[in-house]
mmCIF file of all heavy atoms in Angstrom:
data_model
loop_
_atom_site.group_PDB
_atom_site.id
_atom_site.type_symbol
_atom_site.label_atom_id
_atom_site.label_comp_id
_atom_site.label_asym_id
_atom_site.label_seq_id
_atom_site.Cartn_x
_atom_site.Cartn_y
_atom_site.Cartn_z
ATOM 1 N N SER A 1 -25.659 85.547 -33.755
ATOM 2 C CA SER A 1 -26.409 85.418 -35.089
ATOM 3 C C SER A 1 -26.762 83.947 -35.228
ATOM 4 O O SER A 1 -26.192 83.085 -34.708
ATOM 5 C CB SER A 1 -25.519 85.887 -36.214
ATOM 6 O OG SER A 1 -24.424 85.000 -36.451
ATOM 7 N N LYS A 2 -27.818 83.846 -36.071
ATOM 8 C CA LYS A 2 -28.280 82.432 -36.378
ATOM 9 C C LYS A 2 -27.216 81.573 -37.116
ATOM 10 O O LYS A 2 -27.027 80.452 -36.732
ATOM 11 C CB LYS A 2 -29.603 82.455 -37.232
ATOM 12 C CG LYS A 2 -30.771 83.225 -36.547
ATOM 13 C CD LYS A 2 -31.081 82.603 -35.266
ATOM 14 C CE LYS A 2 -32.329 83.370 -34.639
ATOM 15 N NZ LYS A 2 -32.580 82.806 -33.251
ATOM 16 N N ALA A 3 -26.459 82.182 -37.999
ATOM 17 C CA ALA A 3 -25.369 81.451 -38.707
ATOM 18 C C ALA A 3 -24.250 81.054 -37.746
ATOM 19 O O ALA A 3 -23.844 79.865 -37.778
ATOM 20 C CB ALA A 3 -24.883 82.329 -39.797
ATOM 21 N N SER A 4 -23.838 81.959 -36.798
ATOM 22 C CA SER A 4 -22.825 81.631 -35.891
ATOM 23 C C SER A 4 -23.245 80.517 -34.889
ATOM 24 O O SER A 4 -22.474 79.562 -34.553
ATOM 25 C CB SER A 4 -22.304 82.838 -35.201
ATOM 26 O OG SER A 4 -23.380 83.435 -34.411
ATOM 27 N N THR A 5 -24.509 80.600 -34.517
ATOM 28 C CA THR A 5 -25.088 79.523 -33.598
ATOM 29 C C THR A 5 -25.077 78.231 -34.308
ATOM 30 O O THR A 5 -24.753 77.189 -33.797
ATOM 31 C CB THR A 5 -26.417 79.987 -33.130
ATOM 32 O OG1 THR A 5 -26.462 81.205 -32.467
ATOM 33 C CG2 THR A 5 -27.134 78.860 -32.319
ATOM 34 N N TYR A 6 -25.515 78.237 -35.577
ATOM 35 C CA TYR A 6 -25.545 76.941 -36.373
ATOM 36 C C TYR A 6 -24.149 76.377 -36.446
ATOM 37 O O TYR A 6 -23.986 75.191 -36.192
ATOM 38 C CB TYR A 6 -26.100 77.263 -37.751
ATOM 39 C CG TYR A 6 -25.977 76.138 -38.718
ATOM 40 C CD1 TYR A 6 -26.885 75.111 -38.695
ATOM 41 C CD2 TYR A 6 -24.837 76.007 -39.561
ATOM 42 C CE1 TYR A 6 -26.752 74.073 -39.637
ATOM 43 C CE2 TYR A 6 -24.757 75.013 -40.479
ATOM 44 C CZ TYR A 6 -25.770 73.982 -40.437
ATOM 45 O OH TYR A 6 -25.517 72.891 -41.335
ATOM 46 N N TRP A 7 -23.101 77.190 -36.762
ATOM 47 C CA TRP A 7 -21.795 76.702 -36.911
ATOM 48 C C TRP A 7 -21.230 76.129 -35.507
ATOM 49 O O TRP A 7 -20.475 75.168 -35.523
ATOM 50 C CB TRP A 7 -20.794 77.741 -37.546
ATOM 51 C CG TRP A 7 -20.945 77.908 -38.950
ATOM 52 C CD1 TRP A 7 -21.103 76.842 -39.858
ATOM 53 C CD2 TRP A 7 -21.050 79.103 -39.657
ATOM 54 N NE1 TRP A 7 -21.213 77.423 -41.138
ATOM 55 C CE2 TRP A 7 -21.140 78.819 -41.089
ATOM 56 C CE3 TRP A 7 -20.910 80.481 -39.400
ATOM 57 C CZ2 TRP A 7 -21.150 79.766 -42.165
ATOM 58 C CZ3 TRP A 7 -20.968 81.460 -40.384
ATOM 59 C CH2 TRP A 7 -21.134 81.068 -41.727
ATOM 60 N N LEU A 8 -21.650 76.893 -34.501
ATOM 61 C CA LEU A 8 -21.187 76.404 -33.202
ATOM 62 C C LEU A 8 -21.755 75.045 -32.856
ATOM 63 O O LEU A 8 -21.033 74.080 -32.393
ATOM 64 C CB LEU A 8 -21.632 77.431 -32.118
ATOM 65 C CG LEU A 8 -21.377 77.047 -30.611
ATOM 66 C CD1 LEU A 8 -19.926 77.013 -30.362
ATOM 67 C CD2 LEU A 8 -22.048 78.065 -29.677
ATOM 68 N N VAL A 9 -23.049 74.869 -33.107
ATOM 69 C CA VAL A 9 -23.671 73.512 -32.796
ATOM 70 C C VAL A 9 -23.083 72.469 -33.723
ATOM 71 O O VAL A 9 -22.871 71.384 -33.269
ATOM 72 C CB VAL A 9 -25.215 73.643 -32.993
ATOM 73 C CG1 VAL A 9 -25.897 72.350 -32.882
ATOM 74 C CG2 VAL A 9 -25.770 74.575 -31.940
ATOM 75 N N LEU A 10 -22.888 72.877 -34.947
ATOM 76 C CA LEU A 10 -22.234 71.861 -35.944
ATOM 77 C C LEU A 10 -20.912 71.426 -35.378
ATOM 78 O O LEU A 10 -20.537 70.189 -35.440
ATOM 79 C CB LEU A 10 -22.137 72.455 -37.360
ATOM 80 C CG LEU A 10 -21.432 71.579 -38.354
ATOM 81 C CD1 LEU A 10 -22.225 70.321 -38.584
ATOM 82 C CD2 LEU A 10 -21.306 72.392 -39.644
ATOM 83 N N ALA A 11 -20.068 72.380 -35.026
ATOM 84 C CA ALA A 11 -18.679 72.033 -34.464
ATOM 85 C C ALA A 11 -18.839 71.144 -33.321
ATOM 86 O O ALA A 11 -18.038 70.096 -33.217
ATOM 87 C CB ALA A 11 -17.918 73.301 -34.197
ATOM 88 N N ALA A 12 -19.697 71.471 -32.378
ATOM 89 C CA ALA A 12 -19.918 70.549 -31.155
ATOM 90 C C ALA A 12 -20.359 69.196 -31.618
ATOM 91 O O ALA A 12 -19.928 68.180 -30.976
ATOM 92 C CB ALA A 12 -20.761 71.264 -30.160
ATOM 93 N N GLY A 13 -21.281 69.156 -32.474
ATOM 94 C CA GLY A 13 -21.795 67.885 -32.907
ATOM 95 C C GLY A 13 -20.787 66.988 -33.590
ATOM 96 O O GLY A 13 -20.651 65.854 -33.337
ATOM 97 N N VAL A 14 -19.942 67.579 -34.454
ATOM 98 C CA VAL A 14 -18.879 66.821 -35.073
ATOM 99 C C VAL A 14 -17.773 66.288 -34.082
ATOM 100 O O VAL A 14 -17.414 65.227 -34.129
ATOM 101 C CB VAL A 14 -18.111 67.702 -36.221
ATOM 102 C CG1 VAL A 14 -16.961 67.078 -36.684
ATOM 103 C CG2 VAL A 14 -19.134 68.067 -37.356
ATOM 104 N N LEU A 15 -17.496 67.180 -33.097
ATOM 105 C CA LEU A 15 -16.614 66.789 -32.019
ATOM 106 C C LEU A 15 -17.159 65.687 -31.211
ATOM 107 O O LEU A 15 -16.392 64.705 -30.945
ATOM 108 C CB LEU A 15 -16.300 68.031 -31.116
ATOM 109 C CG LEU A 15 -15.333 67.745 -29.953
ATOM 110 C CD1 LEU A 15 -13.886 67.271 -30.516
ATOM 111 C CD2 LEU A 15 -15.148 68.958 -29.062
ATOM 112 N N ALA A 16 -18.434 65.669 -30.840
ATOM 113 C CA ALA A 16 -19.096 64.624 -30.123
ATOM 114 C C ALA A 16 -19.054 63.280 -30.904
ATOM 115 O O ALA A 16 -18.803 62.281 -30.412
ATOM 116 C CB ALA A 16 -20.464 65.008 -29.780
ATOM 117 N N TYR A 17 -19.399 63.464 -32.167
ATOM 118 C CA TYR A 17 -19.380 62.269 -33.145
ATOM 119 C C TYR A 17 -17.994 61.599 -33.139
ATOM 120 O O TYR A 17 -17.795 60.363 -33.029
ATOM 121 C CB TYR A 17 -19.869 62.735 -34.507
ATOM 122 C CG TYR A 17 -19.974 61.491 -35.491
ATOM 123 C CD1 TYR A 17 -21.233 60.907 -35.660
ATOM 124 C CD2 TYR A 17 -18.893 61.081 -36.263
ATOM 125 C CE1 TYR A 17 -21.405 59.864 -36.578
ATOM 126 C CE2 TYR A 17 -19.027 60.087 -37.093
ATOM 127 C CZ TYR A 17 -20.230 59.456 -37.310
ATOM 128 O OH TYR A 17 -20.386 58.425 -38.166
ATOM 129 N N VAL A 18 -16.947 62.429 -33.280
ATOM 130 C CA VAL A 18 -15.590 61.890 -33.452
ATOM 131 C C VAL A 18 -15.179 61.226 -32.143
ATOM 132 O O VAL A 18 -14.510 60.183 -32.115
ATOM 133 C CB VAL A 18 -14.628 62.980 -33.843
ATOM 134 C CG1 VAL A 18 -13.151 62.557 -33.754
ATOM 135 C CG2 VAL A 18 -14.967 63.559 -35.216
ATOM 136 N N ILE A 19 -15.480 61.883 -31.008
ATOM 137 C CA ILE A 19 -15.083 61.334 -29.692
ATOM 138 C C ILE A 19 -15.807 59.946 -29.535
ATOM 139 O O ILE A 19 -15.159 58.949 -29.169
ATOM 140 C CB ILE A 19 -15.494 62.197 -28.673
ATOM 141 C CG1 ILE A 19 -14.683 63.479 -28.546
ATOM 142 C CG2 ILE A 19 -15.401 61.569 -27.191
ATOM 143 C CD1 ILE A 19 -15.064 64.611 -27.554
ATOM 144 N N VAL A 20 -17.018 59.943 -29.803
ATOM 145 C CA VAL A 20 -17.780 58.629 -29.673
ATOM 146 C C VAL A 20 -17.263 57.625 -30.687
ATOM 147 O O VAL A 20 -17.073 56.382 -30.239
ATOM 148 C CB VAL A 20 -19.273 58.831 -29.900
ATOM 149 C CG1 VAL A 20 -20.047 57.425 -29.958
ATOM 150 C CG2 VAL A 20 -19.867 59.660 -28.761
ATOM 151 N N ALA A 21 -17.007 57.945 -31.837
ATOM 152 C CA ALA A 21 -16.429 56.993 -32.842
ATOM 153 C C ALA A 21 -15.193 56.459 -32.376
ATOM 154 O O ALA A 21 -14.920 55.162 -32.619
ATOM 155 C CB ALA A 21 -16.271 57.667 -34.197
ATOM 156 N N ASN A 22 -14.298 57.293 -31.869
ATOM 157 C CA ASN A 22 -12.977 56.763 -31.433
ATOM 158 C C ASN A 22 -13.028 55.925 -30.177
ATOM 159 O O ASN A 22 -12.369 54.901 -30.066
ATOM 160 C CB ASN A 22 -11.985 57.899 -31.143
ATOM 161 C CG ASN A 22 -11.402 58.436 -32.477
ATOM 162 O OD1 ASN A 22 -10.475 57.918 -32.985
ATOM 163 N ND2 ASN A 22 -12.020 59.515 -32.915
ATOM 164 N N LEU A 23 -14.053 56.240 -29.310
ATOM 165 C CA LEU A 23 -14.199 55.436 -28.102
ATOM 166 C C LEU A 23 -14.744 54.033 -28.474
ATOM 167 O O LEU A 23 -14.222 52.977 -27.912
ATOM 168 C CB LEU A 23 -15.223 56.151 -27.136
ATOM 169 C CG LEU A 23 -15.578 55.356 -25.927
ATOM 170 C CD1 LEU A 23 -14.375 55.288 -25.079
ATOM 171 C CD2 LEU A 23 -16.704 56.070 -25.133
ATOM 172 N N VAL A 24 -15.757 53.882 -29.276
ATOM 173 C CA VAL A 24 -16.387 52.591 -29.479
ATOM 174 C C VAL A 24 -15.434 51.698 -30.364
ATOM 175 O O VAL A 24 -15.580 50.476 -30.360
ATOM 176 C CB VAL A 24 -17.751 52.774 -30.230
ATOM 177 C CG1 VAL A 24 -18.697 53.591 -29.346
ATOM 178 C CG2 VAL A 24 -17.560 53.333 -31.539
ATOM 179 N N ARG A 25 -14.430 52.307 -31.038
ATOM 180 C CA ARG A 25 -13.462 51.514 -31.813
ATOM 181 C C ARG A 25 -12.232 51.215 -30.947
ATOM 182 O O ARG A 25 -11.420 50.476 -31.438
ATOM 183 C CB ARG A 25 -13.028 52.279 -33.039
ATOM 184 C CG ARG A 25 -14.196 52.346 -34.138
ATOM 185 C CD ARG A 25 -13.770 53.414 -35.155
ATOM 186 N NE ARG A 25 -14.884 53.522 -36.127
ATOM 187 C CZ ARG A 25 -15.026 54.572 -36.943
ATOM 188 N NH1 ARG A 25 -14.184 55.550 -36.863
ATOM 189 N NH2 ARG A 25 -16.138 54.602 -37.787
ATOM 190 N N SER A 26 -12.203 51.676 -29.675
ATOM 191 C CA SER A 26 -11.067 51.374 -28.853
ATOM 192 C C SER A 26 -11.347 50.112 -28.156
ATOM 193 O O SER A 26 -12.311 49.405 -28.266
ATOM 194 C CB SER A 26 -10.903 52.551 -27.851
ATOM 195 O OG SER A 26 -11.985 52.560 -26.974
ATOM 196 N N ARG A 27 -10.373 49.787 -27.300
ATOM 197 C CA ARG A 27 -10.424 48.458 -26.529
ATOM 198 C C ARG A 27 -11.643 48.505 -25.627
ATOM 199 O O ARG A 27 -12.332 47.464 -25.622
ATOM 200 C CB ARG A 27 -9.066 48.283 -25.826
ATOM 201 C CG ARG A 27 -9.065 46.871 -25.089
ATOM 202 C CD ARG A 27 -7.721 46.755 -24.378
ATOM 203 N NE ARG A 27 -7.654 45.514 -23.694
ATOM 204 C CZ ARG A 27 -6.517 45.099 -23.082
ATOM 205 N NH1 ARG A 27 -5.476 45.763 -23.018
ATOM 206 N NH2 ARG A 27 -6.555 43.882 -22.464
ATOM 207 N N ILE A 28 -11.836 49.584 -24.899
ATOM 208 C CA ILE A 28 -12.945 49.643 -23.873
ATOM 209 C C ILE A 28 -14.232 49.694 -24.655
ATOM 210 O O ILE A 28 -15.328 49.171 -24.187
ATOM 211 C CB ILE A 28 -12.737 50.911 -23.006
ATOM 212 C CG1 ILE A 28 -13.755 50.687 -21.876
ATOM 213 C CG2 ILE A 28 -13.008 52.137 -23.730
ATOM 214 C CD1 ILE A 28 -13.498 51.738 -20.728
ATOM 215 N N GLY A 29 -14.256 50.244 -25.877
ATOM 216 C CA GLY A 29 -15.518 50.230 -26.650
ATOM 217 C C GLY A 29 -15.865 48.819 -27.118
ATOM 218 O O GLY A 29 -17.075 48.479 -27.075
ATOM 219 N N ARG A 30 -14.788 48.034 -27.530
ATOM 220 C CA ARG A 30 -15.175 46.668 -27.884
ATOM 221 C C ARG A 30 -15.586 45.870 -26.701
ATOM 222 O O ARG A 30 -16.484 45.039 -26.795
ATOM 223 C CB ARG A 30 -13.895 46.018 -28.598
ATOM 224 C CG ARG A 30 -13.556 46.651 -29.858
ATOM 225 C CD ARG A 30 -12.460 45.827 -30.638
ATOM 226 N NE ARG A 30 -11.229 45.858 -29.867
ATOM 227 C CZ ARG A 30 -10.191 46.768 -30.126
ATOM 228 N NH1 ARG A 30 -10.399 47.718 -30.958
ATOM 229 N NH2 ARG A 30 -9.077 46.659 -29.373
ATOM 230 N N ALA A 31 -15.144 46.194 -25.476
ATOM 231 C CA ALA A 31 -15.514 45.540 -24.239
ATOM 232 C C ALA A 31 -16.958 45.835 -23.983
ATOM 233 O O ALA A 31 -17.711 44.920 -23.597
ATOM 234 C CB ALA A 31 -14.635 45.957 -23.153
ATOM 235 N N ALA A 32 -17.365 47.113 -24.183
ATOM 236 C CA ALA A 32 -18.741 47.473 -23.968
ATOM 237 C C ALA A 32 -19.713 46.811 -24.859
ATOM 238 O O ALA A 32 -20.764 46.405 -24.522
ATOM 239 C CB ALA A 32 -18.857 49.016 -24.096
ATOM 240 N N ILE A 33 -19.292 46.605 -26.132
ATOM 241 C CA ILE A 33 -20.174 45.838 -27.139
ATOM 242 C C ILE A 33 -20.252 44.443 -26.665
ATOM 243 O O ILE A 33 -21.309 43.883 -26.809
ATOM 244 C CB ILE A 33 -19.565 46.094 -28.509
ATOM 245 C CG1 ILE A 33 -19.662 47.522 -28.996
ATOM 246 C CG2 ILE A 33 -20.337 45.144 -29.527
ATOM 247 C CD1 ILE A 33 -18.979 47.884 -30.217
ATOM 248 N N ALA A 34 -19.208 43.842 -26.288
ATOM 249 C CA ALA A 34 -19.198 42.440 -25.718
ATOM 250 C C ALA A 34 -20.207 42.328 -24.563
ATOM 251 O O ALA A 34 -20.947 41.361 -24.415
ATOM 252 C CB ALA A 34 -17.763 41.956 -25.366
ATOM 253 N N LEU A 35 -20.165 43.276 -23.808
ATOM 254 C CA LEU A 35 -21.079 43.365 -22.550
ATOM 255 C C LEU A 35 -22.495 43.385 -22.971
ATOM 256 O O LEU A 35 -23.343 42.756 -22.417
ATOM 257 C CB LEU A 35 -20.636 44.542 -21.661
ATOM 258 C CG LEU A 35 -21.703 44.957 -20.622
ATOM 259 C CD1 LEU A 35 -21.783 43.893 -19.574
ATOM 260 C CD2 LEU A 35 -21.201 46.198 -19.927
ATOM 261 N N ARG A 36 -22.649 44.213 -23.991
ATOM 262 C CA ARG A 36 -24.098 44.319 -24.548
ATOM 263 C C ARG A 36 -24.542 43.032 -25.082
ATOM 264 O O ARG A 36 -25.753 42.585 -24.943
ATOM 265 C CB ARG A 36 -24.156 45.450 -25.675
ATOM 266 C CG ARG A 36 -25.463 45.629 -26.292
ATOM 267 C CD ARG A 36 -25.310 46.480 -27.553
ATOM 268 N NE ARG A 36 -24.512 45.765 -28.527
ATOM 269 C CZ ARG A 36 -24.159 46.305 -29.701
ATOM 270 N NH1 ARG A 36 -24.375 47.580 -29.928
ATOM 271 N NH2 ARG A 36 -23.398 45.577 -30.585
ATOM 272 N N GLU A 37 -23.670 42.322 -25.828
ATOM 273 C CA GLU A 37 -24.163 41.052 -26.440
ATOM 274 C C GLU A 37 -24.343 39.937 -25.461
ATOM 275 O O GLU A 37 -25.316 39.140 -25.535
ATOM 276 C CB GLU A 37 -23.081 40.643 -27.502
ATOM 277 C CG GLU A 37 -22.902 41.655 -28.644
ATOM 278 C CD GLU A 37 -24.192 41.867 -29.389
ATOM 279 O OE1 GLU A 37 -24.912 40.981 -29.543
ATOM 280 O OE2 GLU A 37 -24.377 42.967 -29.796
ATOM 281 N N ASN A 38 -23.504 39.843 -24.437
ATOM 282 C CA ASN A 38 -23.489 38.736 -23.416
ATOM 283 C C ASN A 38 -22.720 39.091 -22.246
ATOM 284 O O ASN A 38 -21.480 38.974 -22.188
ATOM 285 C CB ASN A 38 -23.028 37.388 -24.055
ATOM 286 C CG ASN A 38 -23.378 36.213 -23.180
ATOM 287 O OD1 ASN A 38 -23.342 36.252 -22.010
ATOM 288 N ND2 ASN A 38 -23.746 35.159 -23.808
ATOM 289 N N GLU A 39 -23.463 39.658 -21.199
ATOM 290 C CA GLU A 39 -22.769 40.173 -20.004
ATOM 291 C C GLU A 39 -22.048 38.954 -19.289
ATOM 292 O O GLU A 39 -20.896 39.149 -18.724
ATOM 293 C CB GLU A 39 -23.758 40.760 -19.053
ATOM 294 C CG GLU A 39 -23.082 41.442 -17.832
ATOM 295 C CD GLU A 39 -24.114 42.191 -17.000
ATOM 296 O OE1 GLU A 39 -25.237 42.619 -17.544
ATOM 297 O OE2 GLU A 39 -23.783 42.423 -15.807
ATOM 298 N N VAL A 40 -22.630 37.735 -19.196
ATOM 299 C CA VAL A 40 -22.129 36.715 -18.468
ATOM 300 C C VAL A 40 -20.818 36.243 -19.089
ATOM 301 O O VAL A 40 -19.792 36.053 -18.469
ATOM 302 C CB VAL A 40 -23.070 35.522 -18.367
ATOM 303 C CG1 VAL A 40 -22.391 34.325 -17.760
ATOM 304 C CG2 VAL A 40 -24.319 35.914 -17.605
ATOM 305 N N LEU A 41 -20.762 36.158 -20.539
ATOM 306 C CA LEU A 41 -19.638 35.780 -21.150
ATOM 307 C C LEU A 41 -18.495 36.811 -21.150
ATOM 308 O O LEU A 41 -17.397 36.545 -20.866
ATOM 309 C CB LEU A 41 -19.917 35.535 -22.693
ATOM 310 C CG LEU A 41 -18.770 35.171 -23.583
ATOM 311 C CD1 LEU A 41 -18.162 33.852 -23.058
ATOM 312 C CD2 LEU A 41 -19.242 35.012 -24.993
ATOM 313 N N ALA A 42 -18.940 38.120 -21.020
ATOM 314 C CA ALA A 42 -17.966 39.167 -20.952
ATOM 315 C C ALA A 42 -17.281 39.144 -19.584
ATOM 316 O O ALA A 42 -16.106 39.290 -19.486
ATOM 317 C CB ALA A 42 -18.706 40.498 -21.133
ATOM 318 N N LYS A 43 -18.084 38.891 -18.477
ATOM 319 C CA LYS A 43 -17.381 38.698 -17.226
ATOM 320 C C LYS A 43 -16.468 37.571 -17.136
ATOM 321 O O LYS A 43 -15.436 37.547 -16.550
ATOM 322 C CB LYS A 43 -18.538 38.528 -16.121
ATOM 323 C CG LYS A 43 -19.242 39.807 -15.874
ATOM 324 C CD LYS A 43 -20.253 39.525 -14.689
ATOM 325 C CE LYS A 43 -21.061 40.770 -14.373
ATOM 326 N NZ LYS A 43 -22.069 40.459 -13.329
ATOM 327 N N SER A 44 -16.834 36.484 -17.804
ATOM 328 C CA SER A 44 -16.022 35.195 -17.753
ATOM 329 C C SER A 44 -14.649 35.293 -18.436
ATOM 330 O O SER A 44 -13.770 34.552 -18.123
ATOM 331 C CB SER A 44 -16.818 34.051 -18.361
ATOM 332 O OG SER A 44 -16.930 34.207 -19.844
#
């Protein structure tokens, strides 16, 4: 049904959002942001 499909997509979207949010706030997420800002400095 259209309603069940909608809820399924919403649940998957919320899960993806939460996973990404926790990743970028983690240590490796902060490292990735540092890499985006200045790769040479991040390597150093």
Side-chain angles (χ1 to χ4, degrees):
S1 69
K2 300 303 181 184
S4 62
T5 299
Y6 170 85
W7 281 319
L8 175 66
V9 173
L10 176 63
V14 170
L15 180 59
Y17 183 95
V18 170
I19 290 173
V20 171
N22 283 279
L23 177 68
V24 299
R25 291 167 182 160
S26 67
R27 183 175 180 178
I28 193 169
R30 293 191 294 271
I33 294 172
L35 166 64
R36 178 193 66 190
E37 298 300 325
N38 192 321
E39 183 174 342
V40 175
L41 181 59
K43 286 182 177 179
S44 69

